[in-house]
């Protein structure tokens, strides 16, 4: 995607004219780093895309209204999980902040009806740093995390649509969630790792077909249209980042590809690249 530079006004620019793709990643949990297949798939995505000017990421693990921007300088990571071995709390990912990108996000999203807040002390949560550490392990790409101000799919789609111009400047927009996510139904047995439950397979298949058909209306209404939707997502925060991704790829859904498929202890890790 070329190297980044700033114009006289501080706007992030790209030396290429091609539009940066967008991603929806099933980010997993901290043990994702132990799954060599998954980590190699993420590394492959990063290698194919090349180094963006910056990353804007929306994680399932940050809901805050009004929409809020995380730290624009490097601060400690947010280890937003409990009960894992100590080594998962020793992970570091000191990516540069992205203050210029934050300025642009404010301009694109702010209005009297939709204020944009700042949380200068909030570090990247595991929905952000776990996949990014595999994609860009040198932590050289500036990263800005943005909260989800709502779980309403249509509202999140509109957020993504407003952010879409950033793609013309080489910014990689990522929604980080999980295509199916029900921890109560998650089975850590070896058998489940090989044979996912019917509800997860059915939802995964439906989502893949709906996006291939560019059926945005069905995806937005997934709780009523998808099979086993309320089992696959008892709460919808892990599917919600997909709608930011879809909005940022408005009118380009014919370019959607599944870049990661399969299941992790029964949960669908399907991930898409669009564009």
């Amino acid at each position: 995607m070329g190297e980044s530079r700033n114009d006289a006004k501080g706007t992030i620019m790209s030396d290429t004219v091609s539009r940066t793709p967008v991603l929806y990643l099933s980010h997993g949990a901290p043990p994702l780093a132990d799954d060599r297949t998954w980590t190699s798939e993420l590394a492959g995505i990063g290698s194919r895309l090349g180094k963006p000017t910056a990353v804007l990421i929306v994680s399932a693990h940050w809901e805050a209204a009004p929409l809020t921007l995380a730290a624009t300088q490097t601060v400690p990571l947010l280890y937003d999980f409990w009960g894992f071995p100590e080594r998962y709390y020793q992970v570091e990912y000191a990516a540069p902040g992205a203050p210029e990108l934050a300025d642009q996000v404010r301009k694109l999203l702010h209005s009297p009806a939709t204020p944009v807040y700042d949380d200068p002390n909030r570090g990247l949560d595991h929905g952000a740093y776990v996949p990014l550490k595999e994609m860009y392990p040198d932590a050289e790409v500036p990263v800005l995390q943005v909260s989800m101000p709502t779980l309403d799919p249509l509202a999140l789609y509109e957020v993504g649509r407003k952010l879409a111009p950033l793609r013309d400047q080489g910014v990689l927009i990522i929604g980080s969630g999980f295509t199916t996510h029900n921890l109560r139904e998650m089975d850590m047995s070896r058998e489940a790792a090989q044979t996912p439950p019917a509800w997860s397979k059915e939802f995964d298949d439906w989502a893949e077909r709906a996006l291939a058909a560019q059926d945005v209306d069905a995806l937005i209404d997934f709780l009523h249209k998808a099979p086993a939707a309320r089992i696959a997502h008892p709460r919808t925060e892990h599917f919600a980042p997909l709608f930011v991704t879809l909005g940022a790829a408005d009118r380009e859904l014919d370019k959607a590809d599944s870049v990661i498929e399969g299941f992790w202890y029964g949960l669908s890790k399907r991930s898409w690249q669009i564009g």
Side-chain angles (χ1 to χ4, degrees):
M1 286 181 288
E3 296 298 321
S4 63
R5 56 187 171 85
N6 292 340
D7 68 6
K9 297 180 180 180
T11 302
I12 299 173
M13 305 295 289
S14 173
D15 289 335
T16 62
V17 295
S18 60
R19 202 169 211 210
T20 306
V22 296
L23 295 172
Y24 171 77
L25 299 176
S26 290
H27 67 249
L32 162 60
D34 301 329
D35 186 318
R36 292 186 178 180
T37 298
W38 213 346
T39 54
S40 66
E41 289 170 328
L42 287 167
I45 293 170
S47 178
R48 290 194 301 273
L49 290 178
K51 188 169 72 174
T53 58
V55 169
L56 186 154
I57 190 161
V58 176
S59 161
H61 297 280
W62 192 20
E63 299 172 50
L67 184 143
T68 306
L69 310 182
T72 55
Q73 59 183 351
T74 305
V75 298
L77 298 176
L78 178 60
Y79 303 106
D80 54 330
F81 45 84
W82 300 267
F84 286 89
E86 181 61 25
R87 60 192 176 91
Y88 294 119
Y89 302 91
Q90 303 302 319
V91 174
E92 295 184 359
Y93 191 72
E100 296 90 355
L101 176 57
D103 287 342
Q104 293 184 74
V105 171
R106 293 186 193 97
K107 293 175 183 177
L108 290 169
L109 296 182
H110 179 80
S111 74
T114 56
V116 175
Y117 285 9
D118 288 271
D119 188 346
N121 297 316
R122 191 185 195 278
L124 301 175
D125 62 46
H126 81 271
Y129 73 76
V130 169
L132 289 177
K133 188 172 180 65
E134 305 305 329
M135 293 174 64
Y136 302 111
D138 295 332
E140 295 177 341
V141 178
V143 178
L144 177 69
Q145 185 167 354
V146 176
S147 77
M148 291 191 295
T150 176
L151 296 182
D152 178 68
L154 195 57
L156 292 173
Y157 189 95
E158 182 64 13
V159 168
R161 193 186 64 79
K162 289 180 179 179
L163 293 173
L166 297 172
R167 298 175 55 202
D168 297 320
Q169 301 168 25
V171 175
L172 176 61
I173 298 174
I174 301 175
S176 177
F178 222 141
T179 297
T180 62
H181 187 263
N182 187 331
L183 298 184
R184 289 188 177 182
E185 297 290 335
M186 189 175 178
D187 186 344
M188 297 298 289
S189 69
R190 181 174 297 179
E191 292 76 12
Q194 303 297 323
T195 306
W199 58 264
S200 191
K201 291 177 62 177
E202 290 171 2
F203 187 93
D204 169 76
D205 178 67
W206 176 87
E208 191 278 330
R209 288 186 290 105
L211 187 47
Q214 304 173 53
D215 193 346
V216 175
D217 290 338
L219 287 163
I220 286 174
D221 195 26
F222 73 98
L223 282 176
H224 299 101
K225 298 293 178 61
R230 295 185 186 275
I231 304 175
H233 293 283
R235 194 170 183 276
T236 62
E237 80 284 352
H238 274 76
F239 204 54
L242 172 65
F243 299 106
V244 177
T245 297
L246 295 180
D250 188 37
R251 301 182 184 181
E252 294 183 56
L253 299 187
D254 59 318
K255 300 176 183 178
D257 291 310
S258 289
V259 288
I260 297 178
E261 300 178 1
F263 297 83
W264 184 67
Y265 296 108
L267 305 184
S268 168
K269 59 181 182 177
R270 185 178 298 278
S271 302
W272 285 279
Q273 175 181 319
I274 307 175

